Amino acid sequence: MNDIVKTKGLTKSYKGVSVVNNVDMRVKEGRIYGFLGPNGAGKTTTLKMLLSLVRPTKGEIEIMGQPMSETTRINILRNIGSLIESPSYYGHLTGKENLRILAAVLDAPEINIEKVLQIVRLDKQRSKRVSAYSLGMKQRLGLAGAMLAFPKLLILDEPTNGLDPAGIQEMRELIKSFPAQYGMTVIVSSHLLSEIDRMAEDVGVIANGRMMYQGSLEGLHSIDKTKSLEEIFIDLTGRDQSL
């Protein structure tokens, strides 16, 4: 199975302090990769570097077999959809109108708008102004925007943030369906171990900017069979987190 994402020695420093430190990431094509770590561990910065939103201090990034560079960046990013932090939309416009603007930017066909609205179950709210959307609806609209061009790679940063239990379950089941139904590889970050445990096949655990574990979810469970997954996570990260 090919790696769709590879990083080597990926590092980002601010004023001499490394927030991401020598990270080697390997994401297998057609799978869900859970990027797990405490708040402030370096997850979002790593994902922003994959999306060229943040320039690495040093290190290499290869996506879909191409090294990320000024000459390849645009072509690579055409095949990536992302939801980083809270999605931003025009509140006075409807969900469909917001997606139409994004579709024009992405050069995505009009038919994709209806498809993604159905996938995220917002087709019945397509004509409602986004200012009247609940937080869960806004998150699903953000996911629809990320999927609009049906990319090969989907990068989702804390997609269940702020959702109630029913919303979290709905988002989880949607994400789990993407590889089989749409041929997408998904990187999903979270500080919630329980969510990654229910969703991912492969896992990277980051703490203090360093990759502490990378491999199958089964392998993470097997690190110490005398301990619960929560205890293993705490051992790896050195911090007790919301589980």
Side-chain angles (χ1 to χ4, degrees):
M1 187 175 293
N2 294 330
D3 290 331
I4 194 168
V5 174
K6 296 180 185 178
T7 72
K8 182 178 180 181
L10 193 61
T11 300
K12 181 61 182 179
S13 300
Y14 294 100
K15 296 181 179 180
V17 178
S18 294
V19 294
V20 175
N21 194 347
N22 204 39
V23 166
D24 295 341
M25 178 183 275
R26 298 288 184 273
V27 179
K28 296 176 182 177
E29 188 173 5
R31 293 168 72 88
I32 296 177
Y33 181 99
F35 198 30
L36 184 66
N39 287 324
K43 300 187 302 296
T44 298
T45 301
T46 300
L47 298 183
K48 284 183 174 180
M49 285 191 282
L50 296 183
L51 292 165
S52 289
L53 297 174
V54 169
R55 185 184 295 274
T57 303
K58 63 178 182 179
E60 301 172 6
I61 299 171
E62 182 181 297
I63 299 179
M64 293 172 236
Q66 296 185 74
M68 182 69 81
S69 68
E70 287 301 316
T71 55
T72 63
R73 182 175 65 88
I74 298 301
N75 187 51
I76 290 172
L77 293 178
R78 284 197 184 104
N79 292 293
I80 302 176
S82 63
L83 177 58
I84 302 291
E85 299 172 336
S86 299
S88 298
Y89 285 101
Y90 298 106
H92 66 288
L93 299 180
T94 67
K96 184 174 181 177
E97 287 169 341
N98 271 280
L99 291 179
R100 186 173 285 133
I101 292 170
L102 185 56
V105 173
L106 297 173
D107 197 25
E110 178 84 9
I111 193 173
N112 284 15
I113 296 173
E114 292 299 328
K115 286 181 179 178
V116 296
L117 283 170
Q118 289 176 4
I119 290 168
V120 302
R121 298 166 199 153
L122 282 177
D123 46 313
K124 293 181 180 178
Q125 286 82 31
R126 62 163 68 85
S127 299
K128 181 183 289 188
R129 288 184 180 181
V130 172
S131 59
Y133 277 17
S134 67
L135 178 58
M137 291 166 66
K138 288 177 180 177
Q139 284 292 95
R140 282 186 280 148
L141 186 62
L143 183 59
M147 294 184 65
L148 197 51
F150 286 87
K152 295 178 181 178
L153 175 63
L154 196 58
I155 297 177
L156 308 175
D157 186 26
E158 303 276 3
T160 61
N161 259 3
L163 301 184
D164 61 21
I168 289 173
Q169 182 178 7
E170 183 176 36
M171 183 69 76
R172 181 201 313 143
E173 294 307 312
L174 274 172
I175 292 169
K176 285 171 64 176
S177 73
F178 292 161
Q181 290 195 26
Y182 308 108
M184 295 179 186
T185 304
V186 184
I187 301 174
V188 54
S189 82
S190 182
H191 65 282
L192 299 174
L193 174 58
S194 59
E195 282 310 301
I196 294 299
D197 193 29
R198 290 179 175 92
M199 196 186 309
E201 300 160 282
D202 303 307
V203 179
V205 178
I206 190 171
N208 299 316
R210 293 183 177 275
M211 192 75 87
M212 309 305 293
Y213 171 84
Q214 185 167 226
S216 69
L217 182 62
E218 182 181 357
L220 182 62
H221 278 272
S222 299
I223 286 177
D224 189 336
K225 294 185 178 181
T226 68
K227 294 183 176 181
S228 68
L229 190 58
E230 290 83 0
E231 290 171 323
I232 292 170
F233 178 70
I234 292 168
D235 286 347
L236 288 170
T237 63
R239 294 166 65 181
D240 193 356
Q241 295 296 314
S242 300
L243 304 173

